[in-house]
Amino acid sequence: MQTRRAPGRSGPARLRNKRLRLPRPRAQRLVQALSLTLFLGLLAAAFANLASPVAENLFLRLDPLVALGTALSARDFPAGIVPGLLVLALAPLLGRLFCGWVCPMGATVDCADALLARRRRLPGSLRQVKYWLLALVLGSALLGVSLVFLAAPMPLLTRLWGLVAYPLAALSMEKALPLMRPVADALDIRTLLFLEIRAPLFATMGFVAVFFGLVFAASRLSPRFWCRYVCPAGASLALLSRRPVWRRRVSEKCIECGKCQRACPMQAIADDPHATRHGECILCRVCAGVCPTGAIDFPVSLPVLDSQIAQPTMAGRRAVLAAGATGAAGLVVGGLGLAAPLQAATVRPPGSAPEDEFLSRCMRCGQCALACPTNIIQPVWFSSGVLGVFSPGLTPVRGFCDPHCHQCGKACPTLAIRPLPLQERVWAKLGTAEVNRETCLAWKDKKKCLVCDEVCPYGAVELKPEPGNPVYVPHVDEKRCAGCGYCEHFCPVRPARAIRVGSKNQIRLSSGSLQSAAQATGLSLSLKQDKTWGIPAGSDEHGLPPGFSPLEESGTPGAGSEPLPPGFSPLEPEPAGGKPSS
Ligand code: SF4
């Protein structure tokens, strides 16, 4: 979309308010810096589970593609997407102000540009890519398949900063702390002496890092490459930005030197330097900053009264047609059943919606994984099918799901995981644990271990005598097992744990009471009253109880070779007729 040169008229038909013009480029940089700082601060608050006066997922909520895609694919308008819909609704008035001033993805790309950017003029037709991506995402959403995670900027950026940058920073600090302790000791800085840093690790970190490496490397081709050519959220705003109230105006002082065209990071200035593609312009005012005659300004022009109507270019029209065509193609694909989500074998976080609905809502932002205090929530690859890639699953090897915690439900902006009151949280049946008798120390090696019984919050592990075995062996009572993963996390057998949680018998609801649903199926999920469950005292960094060491070989899984403390020592066989020890 572009506007031709204003023909130099004045009067009410060209109502302009010169006092309401956009400020100089430095102000844009300042707002961008504040926005990125707020984004990172909110991520840090989510990471550290700090109370924040602003919703920690604010920027995810502001993403217009998240809002549009989720509303279409989930056929729902959860409160979390209202800010994004507002950004869309304001685009006809404010144009792509959001892209140029607020979006932390834009700020991050600008940082990369400052180091790497080359000003090359790439073919204008490349801009169509972002419209095609938008068409793909919206066409799929119409079918109930959410591909928002592929290209929506906020979920991608949350994954970069939250699941890659923060863990790496935390890991560096964790490693640096012991080196700083002597100094802290000498200076008596107690905070530093007792400071502990949790450095979580997430699956798919490497993939996200490589992806953003490519995004940043694209700065070598042109500045703001992502925003210009790829970002479908920007494309959705561009389609609505026909006559924003702040528009670039070029006065008769213009000497047509072409500096503004070369400086524009979005290639929003057409061959005629007086003409602007408003759908591309992010109102950064870089052109005004470089103009040697001060001919460029951004005054307010009320769209209704302005006689200068921007005409959609052929490119814009083609983009709209492309969106329609892709949506229609998507419907055909859907009709053939090719887009039907696969069934999940993944154990999902507590409060997760039923699988189809979950995948239509989840945008793979990783905010739930970031908020999880034990690191049990991890992005998965293909365990729930191609369409479930990067969605969050429980990985008990990394952590356990505390029945008193529901940070993930509070963090999720799209209600893929709904927040549960504590009373309900306890009744969340995530799956069922199963003992592998081929590797369990008690079953296979006749050793007294029984860690699973000790740590299970629900008392779902029953120890029973087994003929010919001098020790009690563990059985899982499926009616009492919530699938929280304590048993798998603390099981000392390596490399594969001898007790594992699967999605069997999981209960997932869109709405309604989990407690009622669980009781209706005969479950009896209640926490042990004696409070003896949980992390074994003295667990080491591997999550192992005292006396166990991780075994790397699968040959003889079990306790380490060092002497075991009384509670965990392998028992000698009982004398004949003796009672099995428990
Ligand atoms: S389930 Fe997790 S990854 Fe998916 S949208 Fe909610 S917070 Fe984001």
Side-chain angles (χ1 to χ4, degrees), residues 274-536:
H274 298 89
T276 310
R277 300 183 187 100
H278 293 304
E280 299 300 321
C281 176
I282 56 171
L283 302 166
C284 62
R285 289 189 49 108
V286 165
C287 52
V290 298
C291 179
T293 62
I296 301 173
D297 205 357
F298 285 76
V300 163
S301 305
L302 294 184
V304 182
L305 298 177
D306 195 335
S307 61
Q308 203 69 40
I309 298 174
Q311 296 300 318
T313 60
M314 281 311 290
R317 288 198 188 109
R318 275 199 300 271
V320 178
L321 286 176
T326 310
L331 282 170
V332 173
V333 171
L336 293 173
L338 300 179
L342 303 173
Q343 265 309 305
T346 307
V347 182
R348 300 292 187 193
S352 293
E355 188 66 8
D356 284 4
E357 184 184 340
F358 180 85
L359 292 181
S360 71
R361 289 178 181 275
C362 176
M363 57 178 150
R364 283 57 151 184
C365 59
Q367 192 83 14
C368 51
L370 192 65
C372 176
T374 72
N375 205 203
I376 189 175
I377 301 182
Q378 296 281 327
V380 301
W381 284 105
F382 298 106
S383 63
S384 55
V386 179
L387 294 173
V389 68
F390 303 142
S391 60
L394 297 194
T395 311
V397 169
R398 295 279 177 83
F400 45 86
C401 196
D402 186 337
H404 290 135
C405 166
H406 203 221
Q407 295 297 335
C408 52
K410 291 182 196 156
C412 180
T414 59
L415 295 185
I417 307 172
R418 65 187 171 118
L420 299 173
L422 198 56
Q423 165 84 2
E424 276 286 294
R425 167 65 190 88
V426 174
W427 285 90
K429 169 87 171 165
L430 314 175
T432 308
E434 200 173 331
V435 179
N436 183 347
R437 298 180 182 184
E438 302 301 314
T439 56
C440 170
L441 294 179
W443 277 96
K444 177 173 174 266
D445 295 339
K446 300 181 174 45
K447 290 179 178 174
K448 184 183 178 186
C449 163
L450 312 180
V451 171
C452 47
D453 172 49
E454 185 195 349
V455 299
C456 176
Y458 290 86
V461 178
E462 291 181 342
L463 304 176
K464 295 180 180 173
E466 180 69 14
N469 195 329
V471 297
Y472 280 99
V473 292
H475 292 257
V476 175
D477 180 350
E478 295 190 2
K479 299 281 180 203
R480 296 172 70 186
C481 174
C484 61
Y486 275 80
C487 52
E488 183 175 337
H489 183 69
F490 289 107
C491 174
V493 176
R494 299 291 186 275
R497 309 303 207 251
I499 185 165
R500 300 185 73 177
V501 177
S503 58
K504 183 180 169 191
N505 295 340
Q506 57 178 290
I507 295 181
R508 290 161 63 179
L509 303 175
S510 304
S511 58
S513 165
L514 284 172
Q515 179 173 357
S516 306
Q519 284 173 333
T521 56
L523 297 182
S524 172
L525 303 178
S526 59
L527 298 177
K528 279 181 196 164
Q529 293 304 309
D530 55 11
K531 305 235 183 327
T532 54
W533 54 272
I535 306 170

Side-chain angles (χ1 to χ4, degrees), residues 492-494 540 542 544-552 557-562 564:
V493 176
R494 299 291 186 275
D540 67 6
H542 303 286
L544 289 170
F548 288 95
S549 61
L551 291 186
E552 300 304 328
S561 55
E562 62 266 49
L564 301 177

